[in-house]
Amino acid sequence: MVRGIVLVYSVGFLIGTYTHTQGIIDHGWLAFPVPLPVGLYWDALTFLDPLTVLLLWRRPRLGLGVATAIMVSDVSVNTAVYRAGYLGPSVPHMVPLSLFDQALFGLFVVVTAPLVWHLLPPIRRRST
């Protein structure tokens, strides 16, 4: 079960890697017209998303924390960007499909991360 959930996380974060890489290819670094901190954050995700996948498989507890933090912050930032109208006018009571998909994935991560954490084998301490 843990491997299956981590596999779903991995696919989601690799899709994020693709999305942010494509954004840089299409619009360059520090995507205009969003504020500089948003552009920096989105560009950083190009590297943080694949790092998260690596951590999920090599250091799963650390990876779970990073994955959760990224999803909470990314959904929040993207929602704020959409609502502010930086990428075009927002439509009342409507959510773009890409933001909806991302929010569902984020919800999946936030809801399942505690379960995965508890199902992981205990951390073995090195004896000195």
Side-chain angles (χ1 to χ4, degrees):
M1 182 200 280
V2 169
R3 285 181 185 223
I5 293 172
V6 171
L7 182 61
V8 171
Y9 291 175
S10 298
V11 170
F13 281 100
L14 291 175
I15 290 169
T17 302
Y18 170 81
T19 301
H20 291 287
T21 301
Q22 193 62 50
I24 290 170
I25 291 168
D26 292 345
H27 307 288
W29 296 95
L30 305 175
F32 181 79
V34 299
L36 179 63
V38 173
L40 285 170
Y41 177 73
W42 283 348
D43 290 351
L45 288 176
T46 306
F47 305 99
L48 292 174
D49 283 353
L51 175 63
T52 301
V53 173
L54 180 66
L55 289 172
L56 284 164
W57 290 101
R58 305 278 292 162
R59 302 275 313 268
R61 290 183 194 279
L62 179 57
L64 286 171
V66 172
T68 302
I70 285 175
M71 289 316 303
V72 169
S73 62
D74 200 16
V75 170
S76 299
V77 166
N78 292 350
T79 300
V81 165
Y82 170 69
R83 291 187 45 87
Y86 285 111
L87 304 176
S90 61
V91 179
H93 311 294
M94 296 292 289
V95 175
L97 186 57
S98 60
L99 185 55
F100 182 72
D101 290 347
Q102 183 192 45
L104 285 178
F105 176 66
L107 182 63
F108 177 76
V109 170
V110 168
V111 167
T112 59
L115 170 68
V116 172
W117 181 283
H118 290 293
L119 291 175
L120 288 171
I123 298 172
R124 290 186 277 167
R125 303 280 180 200
R126 291 185 191 180
S127 56
T128 55

